[in-house]
Amino acid sequence: MFTEFQQPAYLHLLINHLPIIGTGVGLLGLIVGLLLRHPLALIPALIILLFSGLSAWPVYVTGSSAYKPIHKIADEAGVNWLDEHMDRADNTVWVFYVMAGFAALSLTVPLKWPKSVKPLAILVLVSAIGSLGVGGYIAQAGGRIRHTELRPPANELH
């Protein structure tokens, strides 16, 4: 019953939405907190963004572990998209870690320097927008590995 949890591809598919959905939710909360202009309103959003950024690490690790098994079962176009997916993740996953770092700073630095709340929150906002874009960029190629209906005509990598 729980043998699926021993398969990296299954685990990757189970958790790969955490960084993207979590970042979207955290970003929405951060915008609301900034509009309310109350530092305490930012805390839940910053915590969500911190954990969303950190969740990119297990997603990346499980995806790396799933590469060979998926490579064996994917069709030719799927293998091309798998390689593209892996390249995109290799080159951009760090953006999520930066967002997590900025969120951690935004949760701690204002304890000593209260006037840093707004500038740090804006820094997190920008990094969250970037992370959301990166997540979509990585996921686009990932979805095309096995979902032929998501592939562009002529199976072009774009």
Side-chain angles (χ1 to χ4, degrees), residues 27 30 95 102 120-132:
L27 180 59
L30 191 62
V95 173
F102 287 157
L120 286 171
I122 291 170
L123 184 63
V124 176
L125 178 81
V126 171
S127 68
I129 292 168
S131 295
L132 204 53

Side-chain angles (χ1 to χ4, degrees), residues 30-88:
L30 191 62
I31 291 168
V32 169
L34 283 167
L35 290 174
L36 291 176
R37 296 182 180 182
H38 196 287
L40 293 177
L42 299 172
I43 292 173
L46 292 169
I47 291 170
I48 291 169
L49 290 168
L50 172 65
F51 285 107
S52 297
L54 294 176
S55 74
W57 180 76
V59 170
Y60 180 78
V61 170
T62 57
S64 296
S65 297
Y67 179 85
K68 285 183 182 178
I70 298 303
H71 192 276
K72 290 177 185 176
I73 62 171
D75 62 11
E76 184 180 343
V79 168
N80 291 336
W81 283 111
L82 177 65
D83 290 338
E84 180 68 16
H85 180 57
M86 189 71 168
D87 288 344
R88 289 180 183 191

Side-chain angles (χ1 to χ4, degrees), residues 92-141:
T92 60
V93 70
W94 60 268
V95 173
F96 283 97
Y97 308 146
V98 169
M99 178 186 70
F102 287 157
L105 286 173
S106 294
L107 286 165
T108 57
V109 170
L111 297 172
K112 181 147 176 116
W113 296 287
K115 291 185 180 186
S116 67
V117 169
K118 187 175 179 181
L120 286 171
I122 291 170
L123 184 63
V124 176
L125 178 81
V126 171
S127 68
I129 292 168
S131 295
L132 204 53
V134 162
Y137 173 69
I138 297 168
Q140 178 193 43

